[in-house]
Structures are given as C-alpha cells and as structure tokens.
Amino acid sequence: MRKLSPIDTVDREDNAFSLSTGDLMAGLLFIFILLLMGALLQVQEKAEQDEEIVRRYDQVKTQLYIDLEEEFKDDLKVWRAEIDSTTLCVRFQEPSMLFDNNMSTLKDNFKAILSDFFPRYIDVLTKPEYRDNIEEIRIEGHTDSNGEYFHNMQLSQDRTRAVLQYCMGLLDSSNIEWSRTLITANGLSSSHPILRDGIEDKSLSRRVEFRVRTNAEKQLEDIASKRARRD
C-alpha cells in the first residue's frame, strides 16, 4: 500500500475543511430563512391585528351613532343640536341658548337641555356593548375669533367646567364613579372655528360639544403614530 505523502495529507485536510464550510453556509442560510419567515409571520400577524382594530372601531362607532341618533332624534331640532356621524360629536350650537355674552354661567334654557340630555347620554354610553370601550368623554367649549385669544381660552374653559359641574350633579350614584374616570372639560378658545365656504361662521363657532373617544380609536392613533415614526 502506498504511503500518503505530505501533499496528499494537505489535500485531504483541505477537502474536509471545504465540506465543513459548505455545511456551515447551508446551516446559516437555513437559520436566515427561518428568521425571515418568522419576521414575515410577525408582520402578517400585526397587520391582521391592525385590521381587526379598524374593523372593531368602525363597528362600535357605527352602532353608537345609530343608538345616539335613535335616542335623541326627537330632541335635536328643539335643542338646536346635531350629532356628527364621523366624530360622534353631539354639538350644541345656538349661543343664545347656552350662555350670555362673555359669561360662563349656564342659561336656564341650557340647564333644562342638559338635564334632559346628559343622563340619557350616559345611559347610552354605559350599555354593555360600549361601557368597556369608552376611553374618554370630552366636554369641549369653543368661542369665535372675536376678542383676545387667551381671554377666550379662559372663558371657554370656565364654560366647560360649569357644564361639567352641572352635568355631574345630574347623575345617579351608579354612574358617578364611572363617569368621573372618563369625563374631561376642555376649553379650546377659537382654535376650531366652524367655517362656511372658507369663512368663519361666528355664531356656530360659539358652541359646546360632547365627544366620545373609544379605546379602539386610541389604538388607531397609536398605530398611525408608529407608522409616522417609521416613515
């Protein structure tokens, strides 16, 4: 039998090393494919979760609008109010019925409206299909652009606090604690005017709004914020 020369020994060692490198590359490629598949599955799962949030938001929002409209359909014209189907905002926009000029004391007409509206409003929001989905109930006060901005900011804030205080006094004990954790009063001065053909309608701009925000809406905002950061 022929003895192996030093060159034959080196060739054998080189071949063995080449095979192990190939096996290593194949293993790394397999791991990469597994990681890629895992990442794609995570992206798909996240997209499905986001789609479910959108679907649930649309479903809750649509049904809540239907219930609010059904509850108050006979009263809105009398109150000079409206419900926005897009934002679920209940808007009281007849300033002569709300407050005297430059004052934050509720008029008797507005007290009577709130006494009828607010307990029924809370009754709708506390239905089992909505109660756990409510993230915030916002009472917003708006002024027109007449006057100094910060004066109007203080005025609108004082008005929303007056509305909040009066409304909380209308609730029975079963809804007070739940409402306290969700209701906020927000004075916005003239920052959100009502425009008609690009021109401010100052009468409609002086208004009080009740807005409801669901937890699905908050999740949608978080999704949009994350996408904006990625972009």
Side-chain angles (χ1 to χ4, degrees), residues 3-215:
K3 291 184 178 180
L4 293 174
S5 68
I7 294 176
D8 291 333
T9 303
V10 171
D11 288 343
R12 290 284 184 88
E13 290 174 351
D14 286 347
N15 289 337
F17 181 74
S18 296
L19 288 173
S20 64
T21 301
D23 291 342
L24 178 61
M25 293 300 293
L28 289 174
L29 179 60
F30 180 70
I31 292 172
F32 174 76
I33 291 173
L34 288 177
L35 291 174
L36 180 59
M37 290 177 62
L40 290 174
L41 286 173
Q42 286 182 341
V43 170
Q44 181 180 357
E45 183 177 317
K46 184 64 170 61
E48 290 174 352
Q49 290 174 349
D50 292 350
E51 185 178 337
E52 173 61 21
I53 290 172
V54 172
R55 187 196 65 78
R56 183 163 62 87
Y57 169 67
D58 287 339
Q59 185 179 39
V60 171
K61 176 180 159 186
T62 299
Q63 189 57 51
L64 182 51
Y65 170 73
I66 291 172
D67 284 355
L68 288 171
E69 183 70 25
E70 179 64 24
E71 177 67 31
F72 298 115
K73 64 182 180 181
D74 296 329
D75 304 297
L76 294 173
K77 286 186 179 181
V78 177
W79 295 342
R80 312 282 180 85
E82 65 179 16
I83 302 175
D84 189 317
S85 61
T86 302
T87 62
L88 298 181
C89 166
V90 182
R91 182 176 295 122
F92 296 93
Q93 54 187 10
E94 178 50 60
S96 63
M97 298 175 66
L98 307 179
F99 305 93
D100 284 324
N101 185 46
N102 209 33
M103 300 293 291
S104 60
T105 302
L106 278 66
K107 282 191 166 186
D108 289 341
N109 279 343
F110 196 26
K111 287 181 179 179
I113 291 171
L114 291 174
S115 295
D116 190 9
F117 161 75
F118 193 69
R120 292 160 60 194
Y121 181 65
I122 293 299
D123 283 345
V124 172
L125 299 186
T126 52
K127 287 183 176 182
E129 59 267 39
Y130 305 129
R131 187 182 182 96
D132 294 334
N133 291 315
I134 303 300
E135 183 74 20
E136 182 183 17
I137 302 167
R138 294 169 59 92
I139 302 174
E140 293 184 354
H142 301 264
T143 70
D144 60 28
S145 59
N146 290 338
E148 197 269 330
Y149 176 80
F150 288 105
H151 170 77
N152 286 340
M153 180 66 75
Q154 184 64 55
L155 177 63
S156 61
Q157 187 64 51
D158 290 343
R159 286 176 170 178
T160 57
R161 286 176 178 170
V163 173
L164 173 61
Q165 183 174 6
Y166 186 79
C167 286
M168 291 302 292
L170 300 171
L171 297 180
D172 58 45
S173 58
S174 63
N175 287 326
I176 286 180
E177 288 305 317
W178 180 84
S179 299
R180 280 178 178 172
T181 64
L182 298 173
I183 297 180
T184 60
N186 305 270
L188 298 174
S189 188
S190 57
S191 58
H192 293 75
I194 299 293
L195 303 179
R196 293 288 183 266
D197 299 323
I199 300 173
E200 180 186 7
D201 186 320
K202 293 188 177 182
S203 178
L204 293 181
S205 291
R206 301 191 296 272
R207 65 199 190 275
V208 171
E209 298 179 345
F210 288 76
R211 293 177 178 267
V212 60
R213 185 166 173 256
T214 67
N215 51 22

